[in-house]
Amino acid sequence: MTEWKEFKVHINGEATEAVSNILIELGSAGVSVVDRKDFLSLPEYGFDTLWALDEKAFPDDGVVIKGYFYGDDASKETELALIENIESLKSFDLDIENYEVTTEDVVEEEWANAWKKYYHPVSITRYMTIVPQWEEYSKNHEEEKIIYLDPGLAFGTGTHPTTKLCLQALESSLRGGETVLDVGTGSGVLTIASALLGASKIQAFDLDDVAVKSAYDNIQLNDLNTEISVQANDLLKGIDVQADMIVANILAEIILLLIPDAFKNLKPGGKFLSSGIISEKKEEILLSLKDNGFEIEQINQMGDWVAILAIKPAED
């Protein structure tokens, strides 16, 4: 039986997105996040819950981020590189003074099937449900939109608060026919949602080629006819598009770098939806948005996470 190595990082929840990206960039074939808030929270509209829960599996504080490596990727050098990259996050002013990295051997045949029992359809809103590709699911009503994902691709199942906030904001903002830019697309869940909500042209970007493939595969899984392109790119550098909406669910410090280009690439009256913002960083993001010419339309919060919907003022 094939053996993999599981790398576990027990760390402050503020670093979830950053550490997940580090694991992927080091070659992880999958990433999962164990967060006590998932145990304590139910989806807003009920139906099915994400976890068949065992409270003992959830940390009392922080989160446990797991990455899975095979063969040469599962080396001591990988572990050292992981620690080095986590240490570098301190330059972003993240609270990660106390963290722990451990490893464990995992047998593929057991892992590949056992974890699926914990992932079921999740209703993000009354009109939007995320369904793993192997699950049979029938709509609860005609207007319900279904996003099929392969979470084995490991760039997010769409159930983290930062993603939920984005999906809810997209549902209330898109009316059909829009041009959307998805920056840091990951699994492609926000791209897929934008297409299902009627956006007619979508460009998705991610710095990592593995993420680009993940997004592309999930887009194909949903058999979308919308004009969608997915490519590797560093935020919006070199991109010259006049969009109706730009969405970015990434680290707050990276959003700060993105804000000027987001303003430049929006039509007058266009909207910039940013998420992945820990509550302590909210005021810094709001200040930068205003300094760059944005008006704040909406601020939404779920637990410690914040999403901000800003608008580029219409021309007089």
Side-chain angles (χ1 to χ4, degrees):
M1 293 186 289
T2 305
E3 287 195 357
W4 293 67
K5 189 171 288 291
E6 178 185 76
F7 286 68
K8 295 182 184 178
V9 182
H10 188 180
I11 198 166
N12 190 310
E14 181 179 350
T16 300
E17 301 289 339
V19 173
S20 297
N21 287 336
I22 289 170
L23 286 164
I24 291 298
E25 289 169 2
L26 289 174
S28 174
V31 170
S32 65
V33 179
V34 182
D35 187 342
R36 176 161 288 272
K37 291 173 185 173
D38 289 328
F39 175 78
L40 298 174
S41 303
L42 293 174
E44 184 177 0
Y45 290 94
F47 303 147
D48 294 294
T49 60
L50 173 63
W51 303 103
L53 296 178
D54 177 2
E55 185 172 3
K56 296 177 183 177
F58 290 80
D60 290 331
D61 62 322
V63 298
V64 175
I65 307 163
K66 302 178 183 180
Y68 299 90
F69 294 82
Y70 174 68
D72 293 338
D73 290 333
S75 63
K76 186 64 177 178
E77 287 75 16
T78 301
E79 183 178 352
L80 293 173
L82 173 60
I83 294 171
E84 181 180 352
N85 278 275
I86 293 173
E87 286 290 324
S88 72
L89 295 177
K90 293 178 180 177
S91 64
F92 290 107
D93 196 29
L94 291 177
D95 179 13
I96 57 169
E97 289 302 322
N98 298 310
Y99 69 89
E100 181 182 19
V101 176
T102 58
T103 63
E104 183 177 336
D105 291 332
V106 179
V107 177
E108 181 178 35
E109 285 77 2
E110 296 174 358
W111 168 52
N113 294 312
W115 72 278
K116 291 184 179 181
K117 67 183 179 182
Y118 299 112
Y119 182 40
H120 304 292
V122 178
S123 297
I124 302 300
T125 71
R126 184 173 185 274
Y127 298 98
M128 191 177 302
T129 300
I130 296 177
V131 179
Q133 66 165 343
W134 61 84
E135 287 264 337
E136 292 186 8
Y137 181 80
S138 298
K139 290 184 177 182
N140 288 279
H141 51 87
E142 187 176 345
E143 294 83 8
E144 185 178 10
K145 294 175 173 59
I146 299 175
I147 300 174
Y148 291 100
L149 286 183
D150 178 358
L153 295 171
F155 285 88
T157 62
T159 56
H160 190 274
T162 61
T163 312
K164 285 185 178 180
L165 288 166
C166 282
L167 291 169
Q168 291 166 1
L170 285 173
E171 185 179 83
S172 64
S173 299
L174 295 179
R175 294 293 178 264
E178 292 92 350
T179 295
V180 175
L181 304 182
D182 179 8
V183 183
T185 188
S187 66
V189 63
L190 301 182
T191 288
I192 295 164
S194 297
L196 294 176
L197 291 166
S200 58
K201 184 176 181 180
I202 306 168
Q203 291 181 250
F205 308 101
D206 204 290
L207 186 61
D208 184 61
D209 288 330
V210 180
V212 171
K213 184 179 186 306
S214 171
Y216 177 81
D217 288 346
N218 275 322
I219 290 165
Q220 297 303 305
L221 184 63
N222 285 271
D223 194 25
L224 295 170
N225 295 320
T226 304
E227 184 181 343
I228 300 174
S229 67
V230 187
Q231 67 184 75
N233 200 73
D234 185 359
L235 301 178
L236 288 174
K237 292 179 182 177
I239 303 299
D240 185 13
V241 175
Q242 290 297 284
D244 298 288
M245 173 164 273
I246 296 174
V247 58
N249 181 19
I250 48 183
L251 197 65
E253 285 74 14
I254 308 303
I255 290 172
L256 291 170
L257 301 175
L258 173 63
I259 288 172
D261 281 340
F263 191 89
K264 181 186 72 174
N265 280 279
L266 279 171
K267 300 175 183 177
K271 297 180 179 182
F272 177 41
L273 173 60
S274 56
S275 187
I277 304 165
I278 197 74
S279 58
E280 289 85 352
K281 307 284 185 181
K282 178 179 73 174
E283 294 303 324
E284 185 178 5
I285 299 294
L286 289 171
L287 179 61
S288 180
L289 287 167
K290 293 172 184 176
D291 286 347
N292 280 275
F294 281 104
E295 296 176 355
I296 307 305
E297 182 170 294
Q298 198 174 96
I299 302 171
N300 295 311
Q301 186 160 348
M302 187 178 294
D304 294 330
W305 299 100
V306 176
I308 300 170
L309 186 63
I311 187 168
K312 179 176 180 176
E315 296 175 342
D316 295 332

